[in-house]
Amino acid sequence: MGAHFTHEFPFDPAYGHTLDDLLHVGAPAAPEDFDAFWRAGYASALRVDPAPETGPLEEERDGVRIFAVSYTSVGGVRIGGRLVLPAEGPVEHGFVIGHGYGGRDAAGPDVPLPLPHSAALLPCVRGMGDRSLLPGIPGTADAHVLHGIGSRESYVIGACVADLWCAASALLALVPELDRRGGPGPGSGPVPGPGPRLGYLGESFGGGLGALALPWDARFAAGQLTVPTFGNHPLRLTLPCAGSGESVRAYHRAHPGVTDVLRYFDAATAATRVRVPVLVAAALFDPAVPPPGQFAVFNGLAGEGELRVLSAGHFEHPGTESEVRELALARREFFARQNV
């Protein structure tokens, strides 16, 4: 059976699915030029000089120092965020960390990081608070997810993925010791040639963006996606929810041709191109991101996938704290094995 909790939503956030059902949700087929579209976007991002600038120290806690940071992304947009560095000792690991569809909390990032002695760049992608609000791009999830959706070239989600690629460029510019020769990691096979081995983490919106970003950027050696969104858009369009997907459903009713654009931004389709190890935490019950889409991302992975099943996502329940602790431990063990 699936997970069930007392709730007041006008729909079932488990959508009637059992775990066995969810493990059989597939990924939609890619458009013929899916790979070419994304490779071209990545190439454009690599051509950007991120010109990162670090601001003053904002706080020091849990063994790290947290700085304001900004960098340039595609279109000349300056992206704000935070740079996290070890308070003492050398940097041994590097991470780019995405955020949910509410932007980042002005109180600062969650630490500690997945591994000790880590550096991390935590961007606020374009249009999102508290560091990257921009004129002309809505700052709320329900409107942001529709910005530019009329074409694949203008859709904001593609630019947000580029913001993550440019975040990796900025991190490597700020912490050049991360741009080291890659080596074989347990179970991951040899890594040819010199280059960094970064880790990516993202939750919800950041999880969906991560699935779209990972296939094309060899600088990322592993990723962890928690309750990722944007998985299996054709199915998502049939499922009511309390998250940004509901805005897309309403837009689709008035503009059914948007399905041609959404095919290029399907996280489950992109997962079929992800060949690095990925840990996915997917929920059985989630009012904001329907679980079938989350599991479609895991099921679609072309490479080594590790699954953590959560009772619920985007929903506080009696077991929330213990599941968060267990996931943090699994994340630490996962990245320790990947030689990031």
Side-chain angles (χ1 to χ4, degrees), residues 62-335:
D62 301 310
V64 300
R65 291 174 176 161
I66 303 170
F67 300 84
V69 71
S70 66
Y71 64 92
T72 300
S73 183
V74 295
V77 173
R78 290 294 287 183
I79 300 297
R82 293 175 176 86
L83 175 70
V84 181
L85 298 172
E88 297 181 356
V91 172
E92 298 177 0
H93 314 282
F95 293 92
V96 172
I97 302 179
H99 57 76
Y101 225 155
R104 292 202 184 276
D105 189 335
D110 291 332
V111 289
L113 299 176
L115 295 174
H117 307 294
S118 292
L121 202 149
L122 291 74
C124 295
V125 298
R126 63 188 62 206
M128 292 279 96
D130 67 322
R131 302 288 167 101
S132 297
L133 295 173
L134 293 170
I137 301 182
T140 59
D142 58 345
H144 186 277
V145 76
L146 299 181
H147 185 68
I149 201 171
S151 76
R152 64 179 192 173
E153 289 78 17
S154 63
Y155 194 22
V156 73
I157 300 306
C160 289
V161 172
D163 293 342
L164 299 180
W165 291 327
C166 291
S169 299
L171 178 62
L172 294 170
L174 291 166
V175 191
E177 56 265 43
L178 290 171
D179 195 2
R180 64 187 190 276
R181 179 175 293 276
S188 63
V191 179
R197 289 180 59 82
L198 302 177
Y200 177 80
L201 288 82
E203 182 170 349
S204 190
F205 175 59
L209 294 182
L212 292 166
L214 286 173
W216 325 108
D217 193 339
R219 298 173 298 179
F220 289 110
Q224 197 265 303
L225 312 176
T226 300
V227 295
T229 191
F230 304 139
N232 197 324
H233 276 301
L235 181 56
R236 280 167 54 86
L237 289 171
T238 71
L239 303 174
C241 70
S244 65
E246 196 60 26
S247 291
V248 178
R249 277 167 38 83
Y251 185 90
H252 172 256
R253 286 194 290 271
H255 307 87
V258 75
T259 55
D260 292 336
V261 175
L262 293 175
R263 294 182 69 201
Y264 291 90
F265 301 92
D266 197 302
T269 301
T272 67
R273 273 73 172 160
V274 176
R275 301 193 179 280
V276 298
V278 177
L279 169 64
V280 176
L284 300 173
F285 176 107
D286 193 323
V289 179
Q294 299 178 31
F295 277 83
V297 173
F298 171 75
N299 297 337
L301 290 171
E304 175 188 337
E306 183 175 322
L307 177 66
R308 297 286 301 186
V309 177
L310 306 178
S311 299
H314 299 93
F315 185 84
E316 293 291 327
H317 60 94
T320 296
E321 290 187 6
S322 63
E323 288 194 342
V324 169
R325 288 194 301 269
E326 291 167 4
L327 179 56
L329 178 60
R331 178 185 300 125
R332 183 184 183 107
E333 293 174 345
F334 171 78
F335 280 114

